[in-house]
């Protein structure tokens, strides 16, 4: 443990891995002084998905104002910032480069350490940011547009991969089904809203690999939805959305509880963009408690991409590993560091 990360350490975090330009100032690893997120959702909506080149350009336009606003609304003088952190991967290379370059430039100008952060590790910290009293071991269900994994947090920086999707990520399934049903972009929130109005028991879609270990599969479910709608063109979209969502959430919740039981976890935590889903939040809360686990369901703002989680993860990495060498660059395929 280095002495670089103390309760007084102030970290400026920067996140530009996908379609959110974000900056945040966090004190002592969990006291959020400011968190600013500029979303590009409207820019990408007309393309029906994130266009990498468009994302990079939008990050370039927003990065300076977003950082300025984060520092300003934190109510501190920039000289109070002890380290500058940025997501180095995984993500879109052109998008990552904007945040990494900005962070390194500020670190050099201010003569402060740079900390390169793994985006997936940062998502793991969202739960602890919301509730610092959580104790290890924890099982985190990390569900985003690109990833679906069950991770055991054994301690700070020590993770074990318990399960993952063998095909589509949960968010990807939401986005693809929403596109097919013409519900709008991004798909997750659109299905979430439509499902509120529909009957989750209307159609019994398959719960893939339900009793088959801790891995997930969502591509068969997506195909089932498409086949069902083709065969039943008059079915209501809201019932399809609600039934699809019920199938996804049933599997996610059952496997999270199973994982927590297997490793003897104290609590279960939700993370990633899909963790903003209403049904998933409600079901994990009730099923987790029913099975005797502490349940941490972070605020929606902490579940989706933000820079407060980047600064929080950076505080722990600065403490354990010290500053990141300036030669470390953006890596679009960066994996979560896990133990065997
Ligand atoms: O973590 P995230 O913000 O970005 C990365 O993929 O890293 O996750 C974005 C994903 C998208 O697939 C989006 O459709 C999904 O999270 N999502 C949701 C909801 N809000 C966002 N999925 C289901 N229900 C939601 N309310
Ligand atoms: Zn993310």
């Amino acid at each position: 443990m280095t002495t670089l990360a103390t309760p007084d350490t102030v970290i400026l975090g920067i996140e530009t891995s996908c379609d959110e330009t974000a900056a945040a100032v966090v004190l002592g690893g969990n006291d959020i002084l400011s968190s600013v997120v500029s979303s590009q959702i409207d820019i990408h909506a007309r393309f029906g998905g994130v266009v990498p080149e468009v994302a990079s350009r939008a990050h370039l336009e927003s990065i300076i104002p977003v950082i300025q606003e984060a520092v300003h609304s934190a109510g501190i003088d920039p000289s109070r910032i002890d380290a500058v952190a940025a997501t180095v991967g995984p993500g879109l290379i052109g998008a990552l480069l904007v945040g990494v370059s900005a962070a390194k430039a500020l670190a050099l100008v201010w003569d402060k350490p740079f900390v390169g952060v793994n985006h997936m590790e940062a998502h793991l910290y969202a739960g602890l940011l919301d509730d610092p009293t959580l104790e290890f071991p924890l099982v985190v269900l990390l569900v985003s547009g690109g990833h679906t994994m069950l991770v055991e947090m054994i301690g700070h920086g020590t993770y074990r991969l318990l399960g993952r999707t063998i095909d589509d990520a949960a968010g990807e399934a939401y986005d693809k089904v929403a596109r097919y049903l013409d519900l709008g972009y991004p798909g997750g929130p659109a299905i979430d809203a439509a499902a509120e109005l529909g009957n989750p028991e209307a159609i019994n879609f398959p719960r893939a690999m339900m009793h088959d270990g801790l891995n997930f599969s969502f591509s068969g479910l997506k195909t089932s939805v498409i086949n069902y709608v083709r065969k039943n063109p008059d079915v209501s979209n809201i019932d399809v959305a609600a039934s699809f969502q019920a199938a996804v959430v049933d599997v996610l919740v059952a496997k999270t509880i199973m994982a927590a039981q297997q490793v003897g976890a104290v609590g279960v935590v939700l993370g990633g963009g899909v963790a903003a889903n209403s049904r998933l939040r409600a079901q994990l809360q009730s099923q987790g408690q029913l099975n005797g686990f502490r349940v941490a369901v972070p605020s929606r703002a902490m579940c989706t991409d933000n820079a407060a989680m980047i600064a929080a993860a950076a505080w722990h990495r600065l403490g354990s590993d010290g500053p990141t060498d300036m030669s470390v660059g953006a890596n679009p395929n960066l994996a979560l560091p896990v133990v065997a």
Side-chain angles (χ1 to χ4, degrees):
M1 193 60 143
T2 70
T3 52
L4 291 168
T6 72
D8 289 332
T9 303
V10 175
I11 298 187
L12 168 65
I14 296 171
E15 155 65 35
T16 62
S17 67
C18 190
D19 59 344
E20 254 97 36
T21 315
V25 178
V26 175
L27 166 70
N30 59 30
D31 186 0
I32 304 171
L33 304 184
S34 68
S35 180
V36 178
V37 180
S38 166
S39 173
Q40 303 175 4
I41 281 179
D42 295 344
I43 301 172
H44 298 288
R46 64 197 159 105
F47 302 109
V50 178
V51 182
E53 178 64 20
V54 174
S56 311
R57 286 165 191 260
H59 283 307
L60 267 180
E61 276 174 25
S62 311
I63 189 78
I64 304 289
V66 164
I67 292 173
Q68 276 174 331
E69 194 183 329
V71 174
H72 178 77
S73 58
I76 54 160
D77 189 85
S79 63
R80 182 66 185 81
I81 292 167
D82 299 300
V84 187
T87 303
V88 289
L92 303 168
I93 183 66
L96 288 166
L97 282 170
V98 176
V100 171
S101 307
K104 284 183 178 174
L106 288 173
L108 282 171
V109 170
W110 290 337
D111 194 21
K112 300 289 174 172
F114 163 70
V115 189
V117 175
N118 181 308
H119 182 83
M120 303 317 288
E121 179 172 54
H123 270 304
L124 295 180
Y125 272 97
L128 285 158
L129 245 179
D130 250 33
D131 182 358
T133 68
L134 284 172
E135 284 168 24
F136 299 117
L138 291 169
V139 163
V140 185
L141 172 65
L142 206 52
V143 268
S144 72
H147 295 85
T148 298
M149 18 178 167
L150 276 167
V151 178
E152 181 188 4
M153 272 187 108
I154 299 164
H156 292 294
T158 314
Y159 319 119
R160 189 162 42 181
L161 187 61
L162 303 172
R164 64 190 311 172
T165 180
I166 59 165
D167 41 54
D168 289 354
E172 202 177 344
Y174 266 94
D175 293 336
K176 287 178 178 170
V177 168
R179 198 173 310 150
Y180 182 71
L181 296 178
D182 228 356
L183 286 176
Y185 171 87
I191 291 198
D192 200 350
E196 284 283 313
L197 311 168
N199 175 8
E201 286 162 15
I203 309 150
N204 188 18
F205 287 125
R207 273 68 173 156
M209 300 174 72
M210 189 67 149
H211 305 288
D212 186 10
L214 296 175
N215 284 338
F216 302 91
S217 166
F218 293 109
S219 81
L221 173 59
K222 175 194 65 196
T223 311
S224 295
V225 172
I226 294 173
N227 288 341
Y228 187 90
V229 175
R230 278 200 188 128
K231 278 192 205 133
N232 303 275
D234 296 330
V235 68
S236 94
N237 256 0
I238 52 175
D239 284 347
V240 177
S243 302
F244 159 78
Q245 175 160 286
V248 174
V249 170
D250 273 2
V251 180
L252 290 175
V253 171
K255 296 210 178 211
T256 305
I257 304 285
M258 219 188 302
Q261 285 165 339
Q262 274 181 24
V263 304
V266 178
V268 292
V269 182
L270 255 187
V274 183
N277 185 262
S278 322
R279 188 177 176 94
L280 179 58
R281 298 169 76 82
Q283 295 273 319
L284 192 72
Q285 191 78 258
S286 60
Q287 292 299 312
Q289 277 167 2
L290 204 66
N291 284 279
F293 297 109
R294 267 188 81 176
V295 184
V297 175
S299 65
R300 280 181 168 80
M302 277 307 118
C303 289
T304 47
D305 286 350
N306 68 86
M309 68 181 192
I310 305 301
W315 187 84
H316 290 282
R317 279 289 163 197
L318 193 58
S320 61
D321 305 353
T324 304
D325 197 274
M326 283 290 189
S327 66
V328 173
N331 178 355
N333 301 314
L334 189 67
L336 182 72
V338 291
V339 296

